[in-house]
Amino acid sequence: DTEVTQTPKHLVMGMTNKKSLKCEQHMGHRAMYWYKQKAKKPPELMFVYSYEKLSINESVPSRFSPECPNSSLLNLHLHALQPEDSALYLCASSQGGLGEQYFGPGTRLTVT
Amino acid sequence: AQSVTQLDSQVPVFEEAPVELRCNYSSSVSVYLFWYVQYPNQGLQLLLKYLSGSTLVKGINGFEAEFNKSQTSFHLRKPSVHISDTAEYFCAVSQDQTGTASKLTFGTGTRLQVTL
């Protein structure tokens, strides 16, 4: 099973709201990732967790706050977002240093 | 630093015709190479990967790619495309990692448009 699940599928939020995106994998992967993808662009890496510890933060604004409660779960907490944060948010996981990442279906976020 | 260049932003092709999507990379160290496909409103699906060994790599849905170290290329090919192959295709490179996580560098993507 090479499945990564993400909830919700769609999310509309106002600029003062607080919401969370959830990602789950049951492949025993020890690395998990958050990406942001704008229309007609490749995914941009936001955060990397390795063995439940944050290992890479690509200078993401603090209104995005990642959390890895256990090896299967990854959350992205959202607060005071801007309209330009509207995008497809993708979660991925990998076994480790081989580079092969498996992606979830994404959450389509719209900030109004 | 590594980079990936996908020379064609769009490739129109008729159904049952062959197609080649081009990808060139630059890196000063050993790399792993990937092709991902993204259908509208979906995540990325791994089509195929080159880690080591045979330079001709076969993937899902009848796609294959050839790793050419001297030309630093990893072009994707399919001998006969179907309407359902219409999608965005991303080439990606990952630098040899000894740690526990990888960092992918993506190309800008190629939109494959298959028509009747």
Side-chain angles (χ1 to χ4, degrees), chain A residues 37-67:
Chain A
Q37 186 181 26
K38 301 286 270 185
K40 300 187 188 304
K41 297 288 187 184
E44 297 173 32
L45 183 65
M46 300 174 72
F47 302 104
V48 180
Y49 272 83
S50 176
Y51 285 91
E52 300 163 44
K53 287 184 171 32
L54 184 64
S55 62
I56 297 177
N57 176 341
E58 294 284 21
S59 303
V60 179
S62 60
R63 56 186 184 268
F64 294 92
S65 175
E67 179 197 18

Short mmCIF file of all heavy atoms in Angstrom, two decimals, chain A residues 37-67:
data_model
loop_
_atom_site.label_atom_id
_atom_site.label_comp_id
_atom_site.label_asym_id
_atom_site.label_seq_id
_atom_site.Cartn_x
_atom_site.Cartn_y
_atom_site.Cartn_z
N GLN A 37 1.64 24.16 -3.66
CA GLN A 37 1.68 24.21 -5.11
C GLN A 37 0.67 25.23 -5.63
O GLN A 37 -0.54 25.08 -5.42
CB GLN A 37 1.39 22.83 -5.72
CG GLN A 37 1.57 22.81 -7.22
CD GLN A 37 1.27 21.45 -7.84
OE1 GLN A 37 0.49 20.66 -7.30
NE2 GLN A 37 1.89 21.16 -8.98
N LYS A 38 1.17 26.23 -6.34
CA LYS A 38 0.31 27.19 -7.01
C LYS A 38 0.00 26.66 -8.41
O LYS A 38 0.70 25.79 -8.95
CB LYS A 38 1.01 28.55 -7.10
CG LYS A 38 1.39 29.15 -5.77
CD LYS A 38 0.20 29.69 -5.01
CE LYS A 38 -0.08 31.13 -5.33
NZ LYS A 38 -1.18 31.68 -4.49
N ALA A 39 -1.06 27.21 -8.99
CA ALA A 39 -1.51 26.73 -10.30
C ALA A 39 -0.40 26.82 -11.35
O ALA A 39 0.30 27.83 -11.45
CB ALA A 39 -2.72 27.55 -10.76
N LYS A 40 -0.25 25.75 -12.11
CA LYS A 40 0.69 25.68 -13.23
C LYS A 40 2.15 25.82 -12.78
O LYS A 40 3.01 26.23 -13.56
CB LYS A 40 0.37 26.72 -14.29
CG LYS A 40 -1.03 26.57 -14.90
CD LYS A 40 -1.24 27.50 -16.05
CE LYS A 40 -2.66 27.51 -16.56
NZ LYS A 40 -3.15 26.18 -16.95
N LYS A 41 2.42 25.50 -11.52
CA LYS A 41 3.79 25.54 -11.00
C LYS A 41 4.14 24.21 -10.36
O LYS A 41 3.24 23.45 -9.98
CB LYS A 41 3.90 26.65 -9.93
CG LYS A 41 3.65 28.05 -10.45
CD LYS A 41 4.78 28.53 -11.30
CE LYS A 41 4.60 29.99 -11.66
NZ LYS A 41 5.64 30.48 -12.57
N PRO A 42 5.43 23.92 -10.20
CA PRO A 42 5.80 22.70 -9.48
C PRO A 42 5.60 22.88 -7.98
O PRO A 42 5.50 24.02 -7.50
CB PRO A 42 7.30 22.54 -9.80
CG PRO A 42 7.76 23.92 -10.10
CD PRO A 42 6.60 24.62 -10.74
N PRO A 43 5.55 21.80 -7.23
CA PRO A 43 5.43 21.92 -5.76
C PRO A 43 6.66 22.60 -5.18
O PRO A 43 7.79 22.41 -5.65
CB PRO A 43 5.36 20.46 -5.30
CG PRO A 43 4.97 19.68 -6.50
CD PRO A 43 5.53 20.41 -7.67
N GLU A 44 6.42 23.40 -4.13
CA GLU A 44 7.51 24.06 -3.40
C GLU A 44 7.58 23.46 -2.01
O GLU A 44 6.57 23.43 -1.30
CB GLU A 44 7.22 25.56 -3.24
CG GLU A 44 7.13 26.36 -4.52
CD GLU A 44 6.66 27.78 -4.22
OE1 GLU A 44 6.99 28.31 -3.12
OE2 GLU A 44 5.95 28.35 -5.06
N LEU A 45 8.74 23.03 -1.63
CA LEU A 45 8.92 22.42 -0.32
C LEU A 45 8.73 23.46 0.78
O LEU A 45 9.27 24.57 0.70
CB LEU A 45 10.31 21.79 -0.22
CG LEU A 45 10.63 21.05 1.06
CD1 LEU A 45 9.73 19.82 1.23
CD2 LEU A 45 12.10 20.65 1.09
N MET A 46 7.97 23.07 1.82
CA MET A 46 7.78 23.95 2.98
C MET A 46 8.54 23.39 4.19
O MET A 46 9.36 24.07 4.78
CB MET A 46 6.30 24.07 3.32
CG MET A 46 5.43 24.64 2.21
SD MET A 46 3.68 24.58 2.65
CE MET A 46 3.57 25.85 3.90
N PHE A 47 8.20 22.16 4.57
CA PHE A 47 8.77 21.56 5.78
C PHE A 47 9.11 20.09 5.52
O PHE A 47 8.45 19.42 4.74
CB PHE A 47 7.77 21.60 6.94
CG PHE A 47 7.28 22.97 7.31
CD1 PHE A 47 6.01 23.39 6.94
CD2 PHE A 47 8.07 23.83 8.06
CE1 PHE A 47 5.54 24.64 7.28
CE2 PHE A 47 7.61 25.08 8.42
CZ PHE A 47 6.36 25.49 8.01
N VAL A 48 10.13 19.62 6.26
CA VAL A 48 10.47 18.20 6.26
C VAL A 48 10.59 17.74 7.70
O VAL A 48 11.25 18.38 8.52
CB VAL A 48 11.81 17.93 5.54
CG1 VAL A 48 12.12 16.43 5.57
CG2 VAL A 48 11.77 18.43 4.11
N TYR A 49 9.93 16.61 8.00
CA TYR A 49 10.09 15.96 9.29
C TYR A 49 10.80 14.63 9.07
O TYR A 49 10.46 13.86 8.16
CB TYR A 49 8.73 15.69 9.95
CG TYR A 49 8.24 16.84 10.78
CD1 TYR A 49 7.59 17.92 10.19
CD2 TYR A 49 8.45 16.86 12.15
CE1 TYR A 49 7.16 18.98 10.96
CE2 TYR A 49 8.01 17.92 12.93
CZ TYR A 49 7.37 18.98 12.33
OH TYR A 49 6.94 20.04 13.09
N SER A 50 11.78 14.39 9.92
CA SER A 50 12.51 13.13 9.86
C SER A 50 12.51 12.54 11.26
O SER A 50 12.94 13.19 12.21
CB SER A 50 13.94 13.38 9.39
OG SER A 50 14.70 12.20 9.41
N TYR A 51 12.01 11.32 11.38
CA TYR A 51 11.87 10.68 12.70
C TYR A 51 11.15 11.63 13.67
O TYR A 51 11.59 11.82 14.81
CB TYR A 51 13.22 10.24 13.24
CG TYR A 51 13.76 9.02 12.56
CD1 TYR A 51 14.58 9.11 11.45
CD2 TYR A 51 13.42 7.74 13.02
CE1 TYR A 51 15.04 7.98 10.81
CE2 TYR A 51 13.88 6.60 12.39
CZ TYR A 51 14.70 6.73 11.28
OH TYR A 51 15.16 5.60 10.65
N GLU A 52 10.08 12.23 13.20
CA GLU A 52 9.18 13.07 13.99
C GLU A 52 9.81 14.38 14.45
O GLU A 52 9.21 15.09 15.26
CB GLU A 52 8.63 12.29 15.19
CG GLU A 52 7.86 11.05 14.76
CD GLU A 52 7.67 10.04 15.89
OE1 GLU A 52 7.32 10.47 17.00
OE2 GLU A 52 7.86 8.83 15.66
N LYS A 53 10.98 14.68 13.92
CA LYS A 53 11.63 15.96 14.26
C LYS A 53 11.72 16.83 13.01
O LYS A 53 12.04 16.34 11.92
CB LYS A 53 13.02 15.72 14.84
CG LYS A 53 13.05 15.15 16.23
CD LYS A 53 14.47 15.04 16.75
CE LYS A 53 14.58 14.68 18.22
NZ LYS A 53 13.54 13.84 18.77
N LEU A 54 11.49 18.12 13.20
CA LEU A 54 11.57 19.04 12.08
C LEU A 54 13.03 19.14 11.63
O LEU A 54 13.90 19.54 12.42
CB LEU A 54 11.04 20.41 12.50
CG LEU A 54 10.99 21.48 11.39
CD1 LEU A 54 10.00 21.08 10.30
CD2 LEU A 54 10.61 22.83 11.99
N SER A 55 13.29 18.79 10.37
CA SER A 55 14.68 18.84 9.90
C SER A 55 14.90 19.93 8.87
O SER A 55 16.03 20.40 8.70
CB SER A 55 15.10 17.48 9.33
OG SER A 55 14.32 17.13 8.20
N ILE A 56 13.86 20.33 8.16
CA ILE A 56 13.99 21.41 7.19
C ILE A 56 12.77 22.32 7.29
O ILE A 56 11.64 21.86 7.30
CB ILE A 56 14.10 20.88 5.73
CG1 ILE A 56 15.37 20.04 5.56
CG2 ILE A 56 14.10 22.05 4.74
CD1 ILE A 56 15.50 19.42 4.18
N ASN A 57 13.03 23.63 7.39
CA ASN A 57 12.00 24.66 7.30
C ASN A 57 12.48 25.62 6.23
O ASN A 57 13.48 26.31 6.42
CB ASN A 57 11.84 25.36 8.65
CG ASN A 57 10.83 26.50 8.59
OD1 ASN A 57 10.49 27.03 7.53
ND2 ASN A 57 10.33 26.90 9.74
N GLU A 58 11.78 25.66 5.11
CA GLU A 58 12.24 26.48 3.99
C GLU A 58 11.79 27.93 4.13
O GLU A 58 11.15 28.50 3.24
CB GLU A 58 11.74 25.89 2.66
CG GLU A 58 12.32 24.54 2.31
CD GLU A 58 13.76 24.63 1.82
OE1 GLU A 58 14.45 25.63 2.09
OE2 GLU A 58 14.20 23.69 1.14
N SER A 59 12.12 28.52 5.27
CA SER A 59 11.81 29.95 5.51
C SER A 59 10.34 30.26 5.31
O SER A 59 9.97 31.24 4.67
CB SER A 59 12.66 30.84 4.58
OG SER A 59 14.03 30.58 4.76
N VAL A 60 9.51 29.38 5.85
CA VAL A 60 8.06 29.54 5.72
C VAL A 60 7.55 30.52 6.78
O VAL A 60 8.00 30.46 7.93
CB VAL A 60 7.37 28.18 5.88
CG1 VAL A 60 5.85 28.31 5.77
CG2 VAL A 60 7.89 27.19 4.83
N PRO A 61 6.62 31.43 6.42
CA PRO A 61 6.08 32.37 7.42
C PRO A 61 5.47 31.64 8.61
O PRO A 61 4.94 30.53 8.48
CB PRO A 61 5.01 33.13 6.63
CG PRO A 61 5.38 32.97 5.21
CD PRO A 61 6.06 31.65 5.08
N SER A 62 5.52 32.29 9.76
CA SER A 62 5.08 31.65 11.02
C SER A 62 3.58 31.43 11.06
O SER A 62 3.10 30.73 11.97
CB SER A 62 5.52 32.50 12.20
OG SER A 62 4.94 33.79 12.11
N ARG A 63 2.83 31.96 10.13
CA ARG A 63 1.39 31.69 10.11
C ARG A 63 1.12 30.23 9.69
O ARG A 63 0.00 29.75 9.81
CB ARG A 63 0.66 32.67 9.19
CG ARG A 63 1.15 32.71 7.76
CD ARG A 63 0.42 33.82 7.02
NE ARG A 63 0.77 33.87 5.60
CZ ARG A 63 1.74 34.60 5.10
NH1 ARG A 63 2.49 35.34 5.89
NH2 ARG A 63 1.97 34.60 3.79
N PHE A 64 2.15 29.55 9.23
CA PHE A 64 2.08 28.11 8.97
C PHE A 64 2.88 27.41 10.07
O PHE A 64 4.08 27.69 10.23
CB PHE A 64 2.71 27.75 7.61
CG PHE A 64 1.96 28.30 6.44
CD1 PHE A 64 2.30 29.55 5.91
CD2 PHE A 64 0.92 27.60 5.85
CE1 PHE A 64 1.62 30.07 4.83
CE2 PHE A 64 0.23 28.10 4.76
CZ PHE A 64 0.58 29.34 4.25
N SER A 65 2.25 26.48 10.77
CA SER A 65 2.91 25.82 11.88
C SER A 65 2.75 24.31 11.75
O SER A 65 1.65 23.78 11.89
CB SER A 65 2.31 26.29 13.20
OG SER A 65 2.85 25.58 14.27
N PRO A 66 3.84 23.59 11.45
CA PRO A 66 3.72 22.14 11.29
C PRO A 66 3.80 21.42 12.63
O PRO A 66 4.34 21.95 13.61
CB PRO A 66 4.94 21.81 10.42
CG PRO A 66 5.97 22.80 10.86
CD PRO A 66 5.22 24.05 11.20
N GLU A 67 3.27 20.20 12.62
CA GLU A 67 3.32 19.38 13.82
C GLU A 67 3.35 17.92 13.40
O GLU A 67 2.63 17.53 12.48
CB GLU A 67 2.09 19.63 14.69
CG GLU A 67 2.03 18.79 15.96
CD GLU A 67 0.64 18.75 16.56
OE1 GLU A 67 -0.34 19.06 15.86
OE2 GLU A 67 0.53 18.37 17.75
#
